[in-house]
Amino acid sequence: MTLVVVTRVHNAAAAAGGMRRGLAYARAYANVRHVAGGPLASSPLHRATLGTLAVDAAGAFVLAGHAFALLGRVEVGADPEAAAELRIVAPLAKLATGRLAVSSASEYVESFGGAGYVEDTGVPRLLRDAQVLPIWEGTTNVLALDVLRALTREDAGAPLVSRLAAAVDLARPLSPVLADTLATAATQLAETISAVTLDPGAPTVLAGARGLALRLAYALTTALLVEHAGWGDEQAELAARLWARRWLRHEEIAEDAHHHLDLLC
Ligand SMILES: Cc1cc2nc3c(=O)[nH]c(=O)nc-3n(C[C@H](O)[C@H](O)[C@H](O)COP(=O)(O)OP(=O)(O)OC[C@H]3O[C@@H](n4cnc5c(N)ncnc54)[C@H](O)[C@@H]3O)c2cc1C
């Protein structure tokens, strides 16, 4: 189990790093590619696409970073609280970042147009390297079942629910809308965790395991971005607002992503 946790956390780091790499490639290309009489980098639509990808990259980065911070506390200090949280954060970070890495890599390939598909540009490798991330060390569904086991047999939801509640308080002075969004998600997740614990083997519970794990990961990511924002990190505050709108409220963020691309990157 120790080995699996370490490899899953490294997987999350590879996902987050690959997403930053794709973003850097795509931004550099947009600066030199001219379309419709101007640089691609000045197209509002392209900037919105890249800005949305930057929000996803910011989320993957804090999720992987948090998993590593917990792993460090476990390895160096034998910290039982960190170990309890890592039990659920490791599979959550791995499964959420693996999926984000693939969807992002596909967009980065597309952002190069035809050149993105041609092997000798090296760009297709972004997608090929990303695609292994949700497969090895446990596919998304295998990890979702692991999350369900952790929730129902090891009470692993408790540290997450506490972290979400603390982040709601931190978010309140930054943005009441963000705080309310996170509070709603936290309440719904706490209710779902209680419900699935009553009958973890029910087919409906098993069928919903992936959805529950992803919702937990998206809420946790919001909380982590809020924590970073609370330290005065302006980029994290913007990313927290946009991440919550995109992944908790399922809203379109194109206009803000275009407007704030430079700060997001
Ligand atoms: C490039 C690469 C390198 C690898 N290196 C190593 C290595 O060094 N060491 C090593 O040991 N392994 C290695 N693997 C193997 C890797 O860990 C497995 O491929 C991975 O865990 C998936 O298992 P599987 O291939 O048996 O697929 P399967 O388990 O057969 O998965 C097929 C499908 O079934 C689903 N599924 C499986 N179990 C369940 C379940 N209980 N409930 C619902 N759905 C389920 C999966 O989600 C998937 O969609 C490597 C794989 C790759 C691609």
Side-chain angles (χ1 to χ4, degrees):
M1 201 60 202
T2 302
L3 175 69
V4 165
V5 166
V6 170
T7 56
R8 287 177 180 172
V9 173
H10 276 265
N11 203 87
M19 290 165 73
R20 291 294 311 177
R21 184 181 183 188
L23 184 60
Y25 281 11
R27 288 208 84 196
Y29 183 67
N31 285 333
V32 294
R33 171 72 169 150
H34 280 243
V35 294
L40 184 56
S42 63
S43 154
L45 181 54
H46 197 70
R47 286 173 58 83
T49 303
L50 296 185
T52 303
L53 288 162
V55 171
D56 288 358
F61 185 84
V62 291
L63 199 46
H66 182 56
F68 260 109
L70 292 173
L71 182 63
R73 281 167 54 194
V74 171
E75 288 186 342
V76 175
D79 180 335
E81 279 183 19
E85 193 177 348
L86 184 62
R87 170 65 187 93
I88 191 160
V89 168
L92 286 179
K94 197 273 185 188
L95 80 87
T97 61
R99 296 191 68 74
L100 285 171
V102 174
S103 60
S104 298
S106 176
E107 281 284 5
Y108 290 128
V109 167
E110 189 175 338
S111 76
F112 278 77
Y117 189 75
V118 177
E119 283 292 341
D120 54 7
T121 61
V123 177
R125 187 169 175 181
L126 285 177
L127 183 55
R128 198 164 54 247
D129 285 351
Q131 185 60 73
V132 78
L133 298 172
I135 295 177
W136 64 9
E137 305 304 336
T139 59
T140 307
N141 284 357
V142 166
L143 291 169
L145 293 175
D146 188 41
V147 168
L148 196 57
R149 269 194 303 276
L151 288 172
T152 55
R153 291 190 200 161
E154 295 162 60
D155 194 24
L160 279 196
V161 170
S162 315
R163 186 171 289 280
L164 297 184
V168 170
D169 293 339
L170 278 176
R172 191 68 60 196
L174 301 174
S175 158
V177 175
L178 174 59
D180 288 345
T181 301
L182 189 54
T184 303
T187 304
Q188 289 172 349
L189 284 166
E191 287 169 2
T192 307
I193 291 169
S194 301
V196 301
T197 305
L198 292 176
D199 190 3
T204 48
V205 170
L206 296 171
R210 177 195 285 224
L212 173 58
L214 287 170
R215 282 165 51 216
L216 281 167
Y218 298 152
L220 171 61
T221 304
T222 311
L224 296 171
L225 287 167
V226 166
E227 287 175 20
H228 284 240
W231 303 330
D233 183 335
E234 197 186 351
Q235 185 192 50
E237 184 179 334
L238 176 61
R241 291 171 199 254
L242 296 185
W243 174 276
R245 283 178 52 202
R246 174 162 162 75
W247 292 107
L248 300 186
R249 297 169 73 97
H250 306 289
E251 288 177 7
E252 177 65 75
I253 60 165
E255 196 178 319
D256 285 299
H258 151 244
H259 191 63
H260 298 293
L261 173 64
D262 296 326
L263 177 56
L264 286 167
C265 291

